[in-house]
Amino acid sequence: MITSALLVLLAQTQAPQVPDLTGLWTASLRFGPDVRGTLLVMRTSDGWRADISGYSVTSQTLSFELPDKQGNFNGKTVGREIHGYWIQPRTNYNGGRYATPVTLVPDGAGRWRGTVTPWDDRFTMYFPLTATSPGKYNTHLRNPDRNLGRFFRVSRVEVHRDTVQFIGNQGDGERVLTHGIYDEGGIWGVRLRGGAYDFARVPDTTASGYYPRGRPAARYRYAAPLQLDDGWPVGSVDDVGISRDSIERLVQLLIDLPMDSLSSVQVHSLLIARHGKLVVEEYFHVYDRDLPHELRSASKTMLSVLIGAANTAGIRISLDAPVYQTMLGTPPADLDPRKRTMTLEHLLSMNAGFECDPDSAAPRTADEDVMGQNRVQDYYRYTLNVPLNAAPGEKVYYCSAEPNLAGGMVEKITRQPQLELFDRLLGRPLQLRRYHLGLQPSGEVYGGGGHLFTSRDFLKFAQLMLDGRWGGEQILSQDWVQRSRAPLLDLSPSQQYRLLWNSREYDHAGRKTRAYFLAGNGGQVSVAFPELDLVIVLTGANYSSPATPMWRRIYGFQDILAAVR
């Protein structure tokens, strides 16, 4: 006779064991591009030949394209070198293209050598699993590349035999959003944005990008930045009137930030320079000084800097230039009379009058998301045809299509590609080491944002707002710097705008001090405090994330300003 105790024992031995998935899980997908590395260009009797990644192509000029649209190069001889940009192909997920500067140096008779390092399109995903009962966990998705967890609202995980279900509420009630198979210590085939991911558990002793400095992190002690060949003089905070103790407390605060929710603040870099010296350089979440960071709308301001650099170099670009006459030559007779009064300055001040009113019941037809969703190929033509909701100069609406159209005007006025102007007037004079400029579908530089720069190079743009100089060279005239600072237009009660520069006042030592900054979604900020001879960079991954008291505190720079004597 089988006893009840024996039945229970048999049931326990026959029931499948529920694996313990407690811990941090991560997976990554790379979307390309694969063409990279050494680029050789050779002069031949028939023109030019280029060799890279197993491809060999010929051309009559220093512009060539690889087969199957695997990338193309546009260059020109400058002295003994060849200067140009590598245009990488659209990747499987992102769909965008980027231009990366390349310098080819002599490598024998009639031969030049350089290195192509395109932007690597990849996604990294993290799921921290905290057990609530056997086979059930609380979780959230962290994605430092795009903060995709704000769209994919996973809140818990359930394990049923070998199936791992990721459950959340997407607005239509709670349901299984995706699932994977648990086998041999991994969670396989979890379909998320971009494809299927295979997750592995991160050992407690292994550093990962989920935590600011790994777990556990060593106690922070200040050290001065390294001297590199990018033009930044370096020094110690003690030499420039910044409290070492205050900086140590601030960096330790960033290291100790809790990563326990989707809205947790994630800072990727903090850099501070004063009196022309870089004195603080700290990175988090496995970012480093050599990795370009997506700057979102912060890179809008670079177009204003480019226009100022052109004027300083004697290439006249008038802010009074009429938009439609410049872009079309002879505007159509039935053109809205208000559009005839629109100037370059209106585009740079976000008050051109295109429909970008966030409170309007009508569709925001000039919004960059609308252009992307409708797969617009010619951004300039599309924007020119968008109706106005106000006369130029009447209202201020944040509108990415306007600075992008301004970039088109720059090319029309100068009769030079933006890429060439940027390289000659900013890239080389500012000693920019590695960057990627986002392109429109038609191939021109996109002026609405999305470029990638290293944090050290990002900081240089704020430095220019102090006196316009870099490395002893006057990149921006004092007149242009002053024009970029005033008069200011109100974006909000506390934030002003002028020629694509954001501005606001902060408290310091019992008085107000004004800051001017490049700012982008997610916490990308390069800010100048002229009265303090101080510049700061912060980058992060808080894209479209709800503001938190901690982030407002950091973004407000109050901790940093309190350390400045």
Side-chain angles (χ1 to χ4, degrees):
M1 179 177 179
I2 300 176
T3 65
S4 59
L6 182 57
L7 289 172
V8 171
L9 179 60
L10 288 173
Q12 290 175 341
T13 57
Q14 294 174 358
Q17 295 296 312
V18 178
D20 182 9
L21 304 186
T22 301
L24 178 65
W25 293 78
T26 186
S28 181
L29 278 186
R30 179 179 174 275
F31 307 101
D34 294 323
V35 175
R36 59 184 60 230
T38 300
L39 170 63
L40 294 175
V41 172
M42 290 145 281
R43 193 192 300 274
T44 69
S45 58
D46 297 326
W48 299 87
R49 182 163 68 90
D51 184 286
I52 183 173
S53 293
Y55 292 94
S56 183
V57 295
T58 60
S59 174
Q60 295 297 311
T61 67
L62 276 172
S63 295
F64 58 84
E65 183 171 352
L66 300 185
D68 305 320
K69 298 182 178 180
Q70 290 300 303
N72 59 279
F73 176 78
N74 296 310
K76 61 185 298 185
T77 56
V78 180
R80 299 181 66 243
E81 298 180 337
I82 296 176
H83 297 172
Y85 281 88
W86 178 261
I87 312 299
Q88 68 187 64
R90 290 181 175 85
T91 53
N92 291 336
Y93 172 72
N94 186 58
R97 292 192 298 166
Y98 294 85
T100 303
V102 179
T103 298
L104 304 173
V105 299
D107 186 46
R111 172 166 144 161
W112 291 259
R113 176 189 294 266
T115 302
V116 171
T117 310
W119 177 61
D120 208 23
D121 190 8
R122 66 172 62 242
F123 277 159
T124 299
M125 307 289 190
Y126 295 100
F127 280 116
L129 301 187
T130 304
T132 56
S133 61
K136 296 184 178 181
Y137 305 85
N138 287 333
T139 193
H140 60 274
L141 171 64
R142 288 306 299 259
N143 163 243
D145 312 284
R146 293 289 190 281
N147 197 21
L148 295 178
R150 71 189 192 275
F151 302 119
F152 196 77
R153 310 289 291 195
V154 174
S155 58
R156 58 191 184 88
V157 166
E158 292 186 2
V159 182
H160 300 278
R161 295 184 180 275
D162 63 349
T163 300
V164 182
Q165 297 180 336
F166 294 82
I167 303 168
N169 192 325
Q170 291 292 81
D172 55 354
E174 191 175 72
R175 59 185 175 87
V176 177
L177 302 180
T178 189
H179 71 277
I181 302 300
Y182 179 80
D183 186 38
E184 297 182 349
I187 305 175
W188 309 94
V190 181
R191 296 206 66 84
L192 298 167
R193 196 166 180 178
Y197 293 76
D198 298 329
F199 280 82
R201 191 175 350 222
V202 180
D204 290 339
T205 57
T206 301
S208 76
Y210 184 79
Y211 298 104
R213 289 276 175 88
R215 186 182 184 189
R219 189 73 185 174
Y220 173 72
R221 290 291 179 265
Y222 171 78
L226 296 178
Q227 182 73 60
L228 302 178
D229 60 353
D230 63 350
W232 270 115
V234 300
S236 168
V237 290
D238 308 294
D239 301 329
V240 297
I242 296 178
S243 166
R244 177 188 291 253
D245 291 342
S246 297
I247 292 302
E248 288 189 341
R249 285 194 297 270
L250 172 59
V251 175
Q252 189 64 53
L253 175 76
L254 299 181
I255 293 172
D256 294 338
L257 284 174
M259 295 291 116
D260 53 4
S261 75
L262 178 60
S263 60
S264 296
V265 173
Q266 190 171 131
V267 176
H268 288 165
S269 69
L270 166 65
L271 281 71
I272 303 173
R274 195 176 191 206
H275 304 326
K277 292 183 178 181
L278 180 65
V279 295
V280 174
E281 183 185 16
E282 301 295 338
Y283 299 92
F284 313 90
H285 298 280
V286 302
Y287 273 79
D288 60 58
R289 64 173 59 89
D290 296 318
L291 183 61
H293 198 285
E294 186 175 355
L295 301 180
R296 297 291 176 97
S297 287
S299 48
K300 283 181 172 70
T301 313
M302 296 177 184
L303 176 63
S304 177
V305 177
L306 178 60
I307 294 173
N311 278 303
T312 303
I315 306 172
R316 178 164 173 72
I317 303 175
S318 173
L319 296 182
D320 296 328
V323 174
Y324 282 80
Q325 182 177 335
T326 300
M327 295 299 293
L328 301 178
T330 303
D334 60 350
L335 183 69
D336 183 337
R338 297 176 299 176
K339 288 185 174 181
R340 295 182 182 276
T341 67
M342 188 187 299
T343 67
L344 175 59
E345 185 164 5
H346 289 130
L347 297 178
L348 298 179
S349 299
M350 298 289 190
N351 63 356
F354 289 117
E355 180 52 82
C356 274
D357 183 358
D359 301 320
S360 174
R364 299 183 67 205
T365 50
D367 188 271
E368 63 181 343
D369 291 337
V370 173
M371 292 192 290
Q373 292 162 6
N374 293 332
R375 298 185 178 180
V376 172
Q377 294 300 303
D378 190 336
Y379 283 9
Y380 296 150
R381 182 176 296 277
Y382 175 88
T383 305
L384 290 169
N385 290 328
V386 168
L388 301 184
N389 70 356
E394 185 177 304
K395 297 179 180 179
V396 179
Y397 297 127
Y398 195 82
C399 192
S400 297
E402 293 180 4
N404 183 61
L405 184 56
M409 292 186 67
V410 169
E411 292 198 344
K412 289 283 188 180
I413 293 170
T414 64
R415 299 181 181 180
Q416 299 180 58
Q418 278 192 73
L419 287 176
E420 185 177 318
L421 283 170
F422 191 95
D423 179 68
R424 180 160 53 89
L425 299 178
L426 294 179
R428 296 181 187 278
L430 289 179
Q431 299 167 265
L432 305 180
R433 301 178 68 207
R434 181 181 169 193
Y435 61 90
H436 311 287
L437 301 180
L439 305 179
Q440 303 172 56
S442 54
E444 293 93 347
V445 175
Y446 179 56
H451 304 333
L452 294 99
F453 284 78
T454 66
S455 293
R456 286 174 73 124
D457 285 346
F458 187 30
L459 189 66
K460 295 173 184 177
F461 289 90
Q463 181 71 24
L464 287 180
M465 200 58 164
L466 298 182
D467 60 9
R469 297 181 65 80
W470 180 259
E473 184 176 347
Q474 196 74 43
I475 308 296
L476 301 178
S477 68
Q478 288 289 350
D479 176 68
W480 185 264
V481 171
Q482 293 304 319
R483 293 187 72 174
S484 300
R485 294 180 183 177
L488 297 168
L489 303 172
D490 290 330
L491 273 182
S492 70
S494 61
Q495 189 162 327
Q496 289 74 47
Y497 207 71
R498 172 66 176 166
L499 298 184
L500 303 180
W501 284 92
N502 296 270
S503 180
R504 64 182 303 174
E505 288 187 324
Y506 293 93
D507 294 321
H508 178 256
R511 55 192 291 270
K512 296 290 185 181
T513 184
R514 182 163 288 279
Y516 303 88
F517 51 97
L518 310 85
N521 190 339
Q524 327 313 323
V525 187
S526 183
V527 59
F529 291 88
E531 293 179 352
L532 301 176
D533 198 13
L534 173 74
V535 291
I536 303 166
V537 149
L538 282 166
T539 60
N542 310 287
Y543 305 110
S544 301
S545 176
T548 63
M550 178 64 73
W551 180 246
R552 284 196 299 269
R553 180 184 177 193
I554 296 171
Y555 191 87
F557 308 114
Q558 297 306 145
D559 289 320
I560 300 174
L561 291 178
V564 177
R565 294 189 292 271

